[in-house]
Amino acid sequence: MASLWLTRSASRARLRPSLTSSLSIISSSSSSSSSSSSPTTITSPNFITRLSHLFPDFENSRHHFNVSKKNLSLLSNFRPGIAWISTSSGVGDNSGKGDQNNKNVAGGPSWIDVYLPRGIQPYAKLARLDKPIGTWLLAWPCMWSITLASTPGQLPDFKMAALFGCGALLLRGAGCTVNDLLDRDIDTMVERTKLRPVASGLLTPFQGICFLGFQLLLGLGILLQLNNYSRVLGASSLLLVFSYPLMKRFTFWPQAYLGLTFNWGALLGWSAVKGSLDPAIVFPLYFSGVFWTLVYDTIYAHQ
């Protein structure tokens, strides 16, 4: 019985993997030298730091994303579509079901990372230039209103439509900038938003404010192309733009306030063409747009 017990003990000792031999795989220098040298035991309590060269250098940002040639292959699977109704943006949530799809689409490099200079990329992401659906949602009510105000039998004013398209791009970017500046402390604690330029430290709040001033200056140049009535009406929308990011702190209905903000172009487009407002036409268009926004932003909030 004693000899049988000793035999079993020796067999178990040979089959049991030791912690020393497991860790030696990590510390081996290369495949060529590992075959000739004996296993090395890791004794340093900070041995994880030896693996730091395997991770990307984040430079001056905690979560800076460097595009590699391998990551560029993800662009072949990048297919933005009209179904992306998000009015704000960030990095997709990598938890839960659909994790792999979110990593490939939301977490991969965008055209900003590939084509724009490195110094401009944080500002382009702050303005959500890689998420154009928000600009479309802001521009559509303007285009509807301009079309309704056009002379029967004639096409809409393309110059006016182009001005409002550029204005929608600038105003949406300014709204996103205000949102990120006000929520920068909260965004760091949310998986979906922690990689935003201000929250991640890629841009300082002062740089964000300067960029906001630049966007508003360009927007002012567009506003001055309109008539005096439209200038006052357009400037009044800034109150909604700057106060909207705070509504989620004071009310459970920020989507309704977003509807009031995003559809202001339904009023402004008509006045830019006619020089005044016709309540019988523009108010039904405006409030129908408000409820339309309430629907799609509620869907986005649940997603």
Side-chain angles (χ1 to χ4, degrees):
M1 291 297 292
S3 61
L4 180 60
W5 181 82
L6 290 175
T7 303
R8 290 181 178 179
S9 299
S11 301
R12 291 173 182 174
R14 288 193 299 267
L15 294 176
R16 185 185 299 112
S18 63
L19 178 61
T20 301
S21 60
S22 299
L23 294 179
S24 64
I25 299 176
I26 302 177
S27 62
S28 58
S29 58
S30 62
S31 58
S32 59
S33 60
S34 60
S35 59
S36 59
S37 61
S38 60
T40 304
T41 304
I42 297 178
T43 58
S44 173
N46 298 323
F47 70 92
I48 295 297
T49 58
R50 300 182 182 181
L51 303 178
S52 59
H53 65 280
L54 299 177
F55 299 94
D57 183 14
F58 292 145
E59 296 179 355
N60 59 347
S61 172
R62 286 173 294 172
H63 307 288
H64 187 64
F65 182 74
N66 292 323
V67 180
S68 62
K69 293 182 179 179
K70 182 179 180 181
N71 288 332
L72 289 179
S73 62
L74 296 175
L75 287 176
S76 60
N77 299 325
F78 185 75
R79 295 292 184 271
I82 198 172
W84 292 16
I85 60 173
S86 167
T87 55
S88 61
S89 75
V91 174
D93 186 5
N94 291 335
S95 60
K97 296 181 179 180
D99 176 43
Q100 189 64 34
N101 293 332
N102 284 339
K103 286 182 179 179
N104 290 338
V105 177
S110 67
W111 64 268
I112 293 178
D113 302 293
V114 179
Y115 297 109
L116 292 186
R118 192 178 185 87
I120 303 178
Q121 290 178 11
Y123 297 99
K125 292 180 180 180
L126 185 60
R128 312 286 200 271
L129 294 184
D130 55 337
K131 305 292 190 302
I133 187 60
T135 302
W136 284 114
L137 294 173
L138 189 60
W140 279 330
C142 305
M143 306 306 172
W144 297 336
S145 185
I146 292 174
T147 303
L148 288 175
S150 61
T151 304
Q154 296 184 4
L155 293 175
D157 190 340
F158 287 104
K159 178 183 177 181
M160 195 65 64
L163 286 175
F164 273 80
C166 295
L169 179 66
L170 292 172
L171 191 62
R172 191 261 180 145
C176 293
T177 303
V178 172
N179 179 81
D180 287 9
L181 288 173
L182 294 177
D183 290 348
R184 60 184 183 275
D185 294 331
I186 301 176
D187 287 344
T188 58
M189 298 181 287
V190 180
E191 182 69 23
R192 185 181 64 88
T193 59
K194 68 180 182 180
L195 297 185
R196 288 176 175 174
V198 178
S200 64
L202 199 58
L203 290 177
T204 64
F206 178 75
Q207 290 174 318
I209 293 175
C210 292
F211 181 60
L212 174 62
F214 175 72
Q215 294 176 96
L216 294 178
L217 183 62
L218 294 179
L220 177 62
I222 295 178
L223 192 63
L224 293 178
Q225 306 297 318
L226 309 179
N227 53 61
N228 292 332
Y229 188 93
S230 301
R231 292 174 185 175
V232 176
L233 186 63
S236 61
S237 66
L238 294 179
L239 177 63
L240 296 172
V241 173
F242 281 91
S243 59
Y244 161 69
L246 298 174
M247 288 301 106
K248 52 181 170 288
R249 306 186 186 193
F250 303 113
T251 176
F252 292 108
W253 287 84
Q255 300 97 318
Y257 200 85
L258 180 68
L260 297 175
T261 306
F262 255 53
N263 294 278
W264 198 258
L267 307 177
L268 190 58
W270 180 278
S271 68
V273 176
K274 297 292 188 179
S276 61
L277 290 179
D278 188 347
I281 297 178
V282 296
F283 282 176
L285 177 63
Y286 176 66
F287 286 109
S288 62
V290 171
F291 284 103
W292 172 60
T293 302
L294 185 64
V295 171
Y296 69 65
D297 202 58
T298 301
I299 295 174
Y300 166 62
H302 281 280
Q303 290 175 336

